[in-house]
């Protein structure tokens, strides 16, 4: 499979992805390609639908955020069939971007922390509690699995202001 990044306007970004039934070599190869593309594009997370693959897989290399708010990047990790629970009552507004929506950054309100359960590349279940920008990254990528983009979470006038930029991005990047 030769995967390539899908951009805003691509219908694949609006589809709901399905669960992985078995973690096979093919899935591991897909994850390898996802990590390669994420790192080539200097991203901190990527979801399979962004490559036109409608499977519930996300990857991220965001490890932790220190007390100064600096995000530490490490070895990339896969979350297969992720489930997010326990969103904190505390909500935080911070700027986000997306590899599928190049050069557009806008603030999004999300819970501060989250619990994630998923399968690893061996098909084993694991569970992590994440907070700060790492949690935000996982929530952003998780949204992609349901066809939701971060700009959808921006409402009202702020969203309207983004429309001309989104149209430009669609015209420039999305190739039918
Ligand atoms: Zn994204």
């Amino acid at each position: 499979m030769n995967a390539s990044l899908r951009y805003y306007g691509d219908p694949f970004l609006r589809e709901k992805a399905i669960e992985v039934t078995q973690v096979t070599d093919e899935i591991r190869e897909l994850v390898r390609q996802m990590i390669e593309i994420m790192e080539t594009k200097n991203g901190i997370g990527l979801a399979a639908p962004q490559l036109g693959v409608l499977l519930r897989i996300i990857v991220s290399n965001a490890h932790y955020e220190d007390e100064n708010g600096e995000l530490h990047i490490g070895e990339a990790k896969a979350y297969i069939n992720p489930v997010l629970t326990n969103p904190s009552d505390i909500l935080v507004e911070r700027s986000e971007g997306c590899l599928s929506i190049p050069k557009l950054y806008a603030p999004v309100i999300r819970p501060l922390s989250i619990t994630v359960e998923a399968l690893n590349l061996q098909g084993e279940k694991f569970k992590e509690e994440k907070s700060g920008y790492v949690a935000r990254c996982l929530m952003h990528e998780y949204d992609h699995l349901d066809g939701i983009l971060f700009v959808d979470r921006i409402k009202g006038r702020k969203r309207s202001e983004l429309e001309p930029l989104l149209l430009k991005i669609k015209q420039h990047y999305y190739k039918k």
Side-chain angles (χ1 to χ4, degrees), residues 8 15 17 22 24 28 32 34 37 41 58 63 84 86 88 97 104 111 115 117 139 142 158-159 162 165 169 171-172:
Y8 185 81
E15 296 283 333
Q22 207 182 350
T24 58
R28 283 184 277 269
R32 193 194 63 75
M34 287 172 68
I37 289 173
K41 304 271 181 186
I58 64 184
H63 273 211
L84 303 182
N86 290 324
S88 62
L104 188 149
T115 301
E117 281 181 82
M139 287 183 262
Y142 183 89
K158 283 183 185 170
R159 168 67 196 245
L162 295 177
L165 296 167
I169 289 167
Q171 286 165 346
H172 183 77

Side-chain angles (χ1 to χ4, degrees), residues 32-46:
R32 193 194 63 75
Q33 289 189 33
M34 287 172 68
I35 291 170
E36 191 177 294
I37 289 173
M38 172 182 71
E39 294 191 331
T40 304
K41 304 271 181 186
N42 293 316
I44 58 168
L46 191 75

